[in-house]
Amino acid sequence: MRELINYTLHLADNSLILGHRNSEWCGHGPILEQDIALTNIALDLIGQARYLYQYAARLINENPGASDLIFDASPVTEDTLAYFRDTRQFRNCLLVEQPNGDWAQTLLKQFLFSAYQYPLYTALQKSADKELCAIAEKAIKEVSYHLRWSGEWIIRMGDGTSESHKRLMHAFDELWMYTGELFIPSEEEKLLLNNGISANLVSVKESWMARVEQVFVDANLPLAHIRDQKPTIFQKGGKEGRHSESLGYILAEMQFVQRAYPGNEW
Amino acid sequence: MPELKIDTKTIEGWLAEVMDPEVPVLSVMDLGIVREIRQENGNLEIIITPTYSGCPAMDVITAQIRLAVAGRGFKDVKVTQSLQPAWTTDWMSEAGKQKLKDYGIAPPLPKQTVCHPDLFQMEEAIQCPHCGSWHTKRLSEFGSTACKALYQCQDCQEPFDYFKCH
């Protein structure tokens, strides 16, 4: 049970933190339509996070002692999980918490993540856990929009002007090191895979890599740049709660109101 | 006291008065988000499914459904969300599609064509709800709400929302 709770939180945290990052663009997009696109994606991601937090909260409430999380308030709700955990208790991958940077970096981050979420949720639709299965079935329709929109932007920028190409290459150098962790199973993922609950990250990676390489070719980006990266560049730790400094700043902004005025509502 | 049991059609009639706050011409019945109506021992449970995960209208819709059945004699009313099977625009009623069109929003195409991740797909042919022309162009696949895309008619030049198939 502890593993299922932690895994559900990991999935939820990925969606919430990337959703929050995207929401930082609200009102700042290069043109209105793209601003709306990114905030729509933020809304989808935060919606997915809500389902997952609601499920995790239910598991925590129904199985006292199964989770090592301790909160003042009871019962635990989706809001408790989003607003009253600290950085070490967040289990999102490092990739999603990275700063937005410019448009190229934001879009590459979204593309790399959507290209991962798509095969992940495809696999989770066959999960032995009925709730994760239902959330994946719901979310994958939205993820296919995210993947298409971000993938088209990667091609547009890579195959665009020398400036957009240069910026995309820079974004790649900023983000690629955080992709390795997506495919390294945590202890929870290993255990849950044996029970048919979590996804097999080996096949998720194959599907991810095939899509990323195809988009890179279409975007006129050098494939060698992906293939020749030394394995030592890859960073990890997010799934276990060891984060880059960025997450603390995100939580400080996101959690401030609830920390200052617990239980406050709009 | 005899147990209250009301014809499901009657309850559906009440729900047909509950409008989507974002698209006020569509009721929850038109949208096809009411999946099941259960009555047991005088209690009522209405099972709804969200259109999109982050749809902010769901909380309002839940509250309005409660209001619509309040004071009708049920001991307890529960509105439950169910995610599976996932909502699709195929469940939207034909009457609902016509209402959308009259309201100036192009209704979803009957056949789902865009819900897969291939890049740079052919654009769907969408009819302008204002002048009826098929000569239209997609401006953005994301619109004013998660369920809509933004189009422009190349003949009458009017921009319009398309309730995208999902």
Side-chain angles (χ1 to χ4, degrees), chain B residues 88-164:
Chain B
T88 153
T89 42
D90 294 350
W91 296 345
M92 190 185 286
S93 69
E94 287 308 313
K97 288 180 185 172
Q98 189 56 46
K99 284 188 221 168
L100 266 185
K101 200 171 173 184
D102 297 342
Y103 188 62
I105 297 175
L109 293 180
K111 181 99 185 82
Q112 182 168 301
T113 52
V114 294
C115 294
H116 62 95
D118 285 359
L119 305 182
F120 295 113
Q121 297 171 47
M122 292 276 286
E123 275 182 30
E124 292 174 288
I126 306 298
Q127 190 180 20
C128 171
H130 304 297
C131 73
S133 163
W134 288 90
H135 187 203
T136 61
K137 183 172 165 256
R138 190 177 73 197
L139 297 180
S140 169
E141 65 181 306
F142 295 89
S144 56
T145 62
C147 53
K148 288 180 261 158
L150 192 61
Y151 275 72
Q152 187 182 24
C153 179
Q154 301 298 94
D155 283 333
C156 74
Q157 302 296 323
E158 282 290 323
F160 64 90
D161 273 331
Y162 164 55
F163 201 111
K164 57 197 177 194

Side-chain angles (χ1 to χ4, degrees), chain B:
Chain B
M1 197 173 89
E3 180 190 314
L4 178 79
K5 184 100 181 175
I6 290 177
D7 183 31
T8 304
K9 287 272 167 241
T10 309
I11 300 174
E12 286 176 0
W14 301 335
L15 296 179
E17 308 280 307
V18 178
M19 297 298 165
D20 179 341
E22 305 268 8
V23 190
V25 287
L26 285 188
S27 76
V28 292
M29 296 307 296
D30 291 326
L31 274 168
I33 61 173
V34 175
R35 304 313 300 159
E36 210 181 327
I37 297 171
R38 286 188 197 150
Q39 297 183 70
E40 209 174 332
N41 305 323
N43 297 321
L44 175 66
E45 184 179 13
I46 297 171
I47 297 168
I48 58 174
T49 191
T51 52
Y52 283 73
S53 299
C55 180
M58 285 313 282
D59 291 338
V60 179
I61 288 175
T62 303
Q64 286 179 342
I65 288 179
R66 288 178 159 285
L67 273 179
V69 295
R72 310 270 191 180
F74 295 103
K75 277 192 281 186
D76 187 33
V77 175
K78 227 163 83 177
V79 182
T80 319
Q81 270 199 39
S82 152
L83 299 180
Q84 204 174 27
W87 179 80
T88 153
T89 42
D90 294 350
W91 296 345
M92 190 185 286
S93 69
E94 287 308 313
K97 288 180 185 172
Q98 189 56 46
K99 284 188 221 168
L100 266 185
K101 200 171 173 184
D102 297 342
Y103 188 62
I105 297 175
L109 293 180
K111 181 99 185 82
Q112 182 168 301
T113 52
V114 294
C115 294
H116 62 95
D118 285 359
L119 305 182
F120 295 113
Q121 297 171 47
M122 292 276 286
E123 275 182 30
E124 292 174 288
I126 306 298
Q127 190 180 20
C128 171
H130 304 297
C131 73
S133 163
W134 288 90
H135 187 203
T136 61
K137 183 172 165 256
R138 190 177 73 197
L139 297 180
S140 169
E141 65 181 306
F142 295 89
S144 56
T145 62
C147 53
K148 288 180 261 158
L150 192 61
Y151 275 72
Q152 187 182 24
C153 179
Q154 301 298 94
D155 283 333
C156 74
Q157 302 296 323
E158 282 290 323
F160 64 90
D161 273 331
Y162 164 55
F163 201 111
K164 57 197 177 194
C165 70
H166 190 68

Side-chain angles (χ1 to χ4, degrees), chain A residues 22-40:
Chain A
N22 286 345
S23 76
E24 292 172 6
W25 272 99
C26 186
H28 301 279
I31 56 168
L32 187 61
E33 285 78 6
Q34 301 308 329
D35 189 303
I36 291 172
L38 205 43
T39 40
N40 261 310

Side-chain angles (χ1 to χ4, degrees), chain A residues 24 27 33 47 59 72 75 99 106 114 131 155 158-159 179 182 199 209 219 226 228 249 261 263:
Chain A
E24 292 172 6
E33 285 78 6
L59 293 174
D72 293 338
T106 303
S114 294
E131 190 69 26
I155 295 171
D159 197 25
T179 57
L182 300 173
M209 191 55 107
I226 297 182
D228 299 348
Y249 290 98
Y261 308 98

